Amino acid sequence: MKLYRTKNGNFAEDGGKFFRVPETSWDLLVAHKDLRGYLRSVMKNGKPAADFAPARLEAPIGSQEVWAAGVTYYRSRSARMAEAKDAGGGDFYDHVYTAERPELFFKATANRVAGPGGSVRIRHDAKWSVPEPELTLLINPRGQIIGYTVGNDMSSRDIEGENPLYLPQAKVYDRSCALGPCILVSSDPLPKETEIRLEITRSGRGEFAGSTTLAELKRSPAALVAYLFRENLFPSGAFLMTGTGIVPPDDFSLAPGDTIRITIDLIGTLENTVVQ
Ligand code: DO4
Ligand code: MG
């Protein structure tokens, strides 16, 4: 079952049929004591809606903060170690990959998040910008995973590599994050063979394509959530991006006009264009 946020209200979908959700507050849906049960009853008692409009999709976020985990895939560890080597920061990434405590960082507030079909930004003071396709968890205020979406943790690799202390500038800026197209409403862990795919096109031509699976994710989503909720309250719930396992080659940097498509099995495809 999927939950969509649109300019025209919230919709639940199952088996290709869409149902309008009477609850219009996204925050109340996220905080619901049984979101899945509530949406089931909406679908059981309602009629399929004729006014669901995919072109009017919005990012599936209300007042939730977006947080992110880093260096949770071996591919990310290697990329980070290489980019930070000259600054003497390479070892940090090796240590965090094997440490018990994960790397968690603040990523975005809702106003910084692009939705499906929207534009994501690259910084004008960055020379090396990449998308990071990440399985993203939706967590309710009680610390329970209630769904999954597709996330893009846009990153400035030259700024991050110059000095690990520049991480917040490499990661947090307007529209440095994209979420969507929907929430896969489920508390069950996704299968390890779930594939994450990234395609970047420039002027209509394929520029980069890569993929990974959740089998490569070193930490469990539940363990990441447990760390995030250790000393933080999230009255509206939170999103947690689980890290990237796909890194384009070092000579690749995003450019204005590029199209980024990220697909995660069972959830869907998030597409955004790049602006500067
Ligand atoms: O340590 C820097 C951030 C890494 C990251 O965002 C990732 O691995 O996805
Ligand atoms: Mg990332």
Side-chain angles (χ1 to χ4, degrees), residues 68-71 76 80 105 132-134 153 155 171 241-244:
V71 198
S76 179
R80 246 43 73 194
F105 58 92
E132 292 190 353
E134 307 193 5
D153 169 23
S155 302
K171 294 286 191 178
M241 311 181 89
T242 57
T244 189

Side-chain angles (χ1 to χ4, degrees), residues 121 123 221:
R121 291 183 56 251
R123 294 182 63 114

Side-chain angles (χ1 to χ4, degrees), residues 89 92 103 127 131 242 260:
F92 287 117
E103 178 196 4
K127 294 187 181 60
T242 57
I260 303 166

